[in-house]
Amino acid sequence: MTDSGAAGAPAFSLELSEDIREVRDWVHGFARDVVRPAAAEWDEREETPWPVLQEAAKIGLYSLDFFANQWLEPSGVGVPVAFEELYWGDPGIALALTGTGLAAVSVAANGTQEQLFEWVPQMFGTADDIKLGAFCSSEPDAGSDVSAIRTRAVYDQAADEWVLNGTKTWATNGGIADVHVVVASVDPELGSRGQASFIVPPNTPGLSQGQKFAKHGIRASHTAEVILDGVRVPGNCLLGGKEKLDERLARAREGRRSGGQAAMKTFEASRPTVGAMAVGCARAAYEYARDYATQREQFGRPIGENQAVAFTLADMATRIDAARLLVWRAAWMARNDKDFAQAEGSMSKLFASETATWVTQNAIRILGGNGYTREYPVERWHRDATIFTIFEGASEIQRLIIGRAVTGLPVK
């Protein structure tokens, strides 16, 4: 996002590089031509859209190379730009295409380089053999409160294996994924500081799918419980390794800083990305409502000539642009190892997600009765938008984090 000025000092610029623009246009074309035409069908079916995943894999969009290239893009905005376009197409199908990324980010955030190279490719597979990954953190009694996680991981030293028992819920791709990343407690007395993340390889005995949820929105994305009943995984499936875990636990027991908590490190890295998802959904609804307002006539003129409609569209456009800029800033900061001193990651997710719910609701109002029917996509986008204020840290949690950051006080 910067280049060198005449005097050698970095010059500020928001202009996207040619590479990012090319990826943006490529992803937008796929979202327009493949994702959006299939959206209503898979929303009704409430099933993983395997044919769309196959089409994405054929062109390299659902692949490790695509995700890695966007995550490693120097400015940091490669992922937000690409995700905005996908979620502009349809949030449900887009989450089916990107849900594996959260598991991959968890391995990148908590694992060793060897674990990254071994397991992340197995989450994507190939165009001829598509694979999925699932990140399993939330539990029936521990959603936003990650310190309340009860899933236990006990080390069997004789076998050099970890034994996992517990129930996870709200897991994207849960139970149908090839590779599951599970956050578990290894020392309950330490709360969130006594947790670690584990790889559960494909076909591991003891892991099964529990309830599959029938959801309000994002219906094309599979969400389910994951049951862990005596699941045994090799010692090298502990992300980061046992030596690093033992050192972290020792520091925590002595009351010293113990380093990042397993689940929170994943969420911190993904918050700007969730914000980009919300921006894409909001933009889709805004553009549809804008076009409708210029074509729909009442009393002999387009309804967009009415101030009430025009002002609402003006606020939609302004909020979407503001949300995008917050997302880009947070993504740039994360890519360049800048500390979120003012909780900038949480700011981006909070504002973008609440923008999406506001914009989609007002899009329905602009369309009137048509907006409330399933013949028009804005009602689906409104149902989809709701999730952005809930998953990976609800709006209330984001406000709590921001409040603590800006006051320096232990806001509760």
Side-chain angles (χ1 to χ4, degrees):
M1 295 177 67
T2 61
D3 53 30
S4 297
F12 178 77
S13 173
L14 286 172
E15 183 177 4
L16 298 175
S17 70
E18 182 178 353
D19 288 344
I20 294 178
R21 293 198 303 270
E22 287 181 357
V23 170
R24 178 197 61 194
D25 295 344
W26 174 60
V27 175
H28 180 80
F30 183 82
R32 179 193 62 225
D33 300 335
V34 180
V35 173
R36 189 167 281 192
E41 175 189 352
W42 292 99
D43 177 71
E44 290 288 340
R45 293 177 64 167
E46 299 190 53
E47 298 174 357
T48 299
W50 290 106
V52 181
L53 265 68
Q54 290 169 350
E55 290 300 312
K58 286 178 184 177
I59 65 170
L61 199 156
Y62 185 80
S63 69
L64 174 57
D65 285 346
F66 171 74
F67 279 83
N69 287 339
Q70 300 318 303
W71 278 111
L72 297 174
E73 190 279 320
S75 74
V77 302
V79 169
V81 167
F83 275 35
E84 178 181 332
E85 299 305 326
L86 273 180
Y87 282 77
W88 170 91
D90 177 69
I93 292 178
L95 188 56
L97 287 165
T98 62
T100 292
L102 188 59
V105 167
S106 179
V107 176
N110 299 289
T112 64
Q113 192 172 54
E114 291 76 16
Q115 289 170 328
L116 182 68
F117 290 147
E118 178 178 2
W119 294 110
V120 174
Q122 296 186 51
M123 296 180 185
F124 290 92
T126 65
D128 298 323
D129 186 19
I130 295 173
K131 305 293 185 182
L132 299 174
F135 179 67
C136 307
S137 175
S138 294
E139 297 186 1
D141 296 319
S144 297
D145 183 9
V146 295
S147 65
I149 285 176
R150 295 181 180 177
T151 295
R152 286 296 313 276
V154 177
Y155 185 56
D156 182 344
Q157 186 171 359
D160 186 26
E161 292 179 335
W162 289 90
V163 185
L164 279 63
N165 286 282
T167 300
K168 294 296 180 179
T169 194
W170 310 119
T172 299
N173 298 333
I176 66 171
D178 299 274
V179 179
H180 290 76
V181 179
V182 177
V183 179
S185 174
V186 296
D187 189 337
E189 293 184 0
L190 294 176
S192 62
R193 294 181 299 168
Q195 295 170 3
S197 293
F198 298 85
I199 292 285
V200 180
N203 304 314
T204 298
L207 185 147
S208 63
Q209 178 185 309
Q211 176 187 3
K212 178 187 175 184
F213 295 104
K215 303 190 298 295
H216 177 64
I218 55 168
R219 295 178 177 179
S221 173
H222 175 97
T223 309
E225 290 181 328
V226 175
I227 311 300
L228 301 142
D229 184 9
V231 171
R232 286 183 167 266
V233 299
N236 59 13
C237 285
L238 165 64
L239 291 183
K242 193 169 187 304
E243 182 178 349
K244 184 177 179 181
L245 172 65
D246 289 341
E247 292 175 355
R248 179 161 61 84
L249 294 177
R251 291 196 299 270
R253 293 183 185 115
E254 295 170 2
R256 295 183 289 149
R257 293 179 62 88
S258 58
Q261 190 274 333
M264 293 311 299
K265 287 180 71 175
T266 302
F267 293 141
E268 286 168 7
S270 65
R271 280 180 186 134
T273 303
V274 176
M277 299 174 185
V279 170
C281 180
R283 194 184 105 212
Y286 156 70
E287 290 177 357
Y288 198 96
R290 178 200 61 197
D291 294 345
Y292 184 90
T294 62
Q295 299 163 12
R296 173 70 168 174
E297 291 191 358
Q298 289 286 291
F299 305 106
R301 63 179 184 177
I303 63 172
E305 291 187 14
N306 296 316
Q307 280 192 3
V309 174
F311 285 8
T312 300
L313 289 168
D315 285 343
M316 286 179 173
T318 301
R319 292 192 188 194
I320 290 169
D321 269 12
R324 182 184 295 111
L325 288 171
L326 282 171
V327 167
W328 284 12
R329 178 184 69 169
W332 175 83
M333 291 177 69
R335 182 68 180 88
N336 290 277
D337 297 321
K338 304 293 184 182
D339 184 31
F340 285 164
Q342 297 294 303
E344 289 87 351
S346 290
M347 286 183 181
S348 69
K349 181 190 182 296
L350 172 66
F351 189 79
S353 62
E354 300 211 337
T355 291
T357 58
W358 184 87
V359 167
T360 54
Q361 181 182 38
N362 279 278
I364 291 176
R365 296 176 65 185
I366 288 174
L367 269 68
N370 287 334
Y372 201 65
T373 70
R374 293 193 179 184
E375 294 181 20
Y376 292 79
V378 290
E379 70 82 27
R380 185 177 70 249
W381 290 327
H382 182 52
R383 288 189 284 109
D384 292 342
T386 305
I387 192 61
F388 301 124
T389 64
I390 299 172
F391 73 176
E392 297 191 41
S395 289
E396 292 75 15
I397 296 300
Q398 306 309 324
R399 288 188 170 93
L400 187 66
I401 294 169
I402 297 166
R404 288 171 177 170
V406 300
T407 66
L409 299 172
V411 180
K412 298 180 180 179

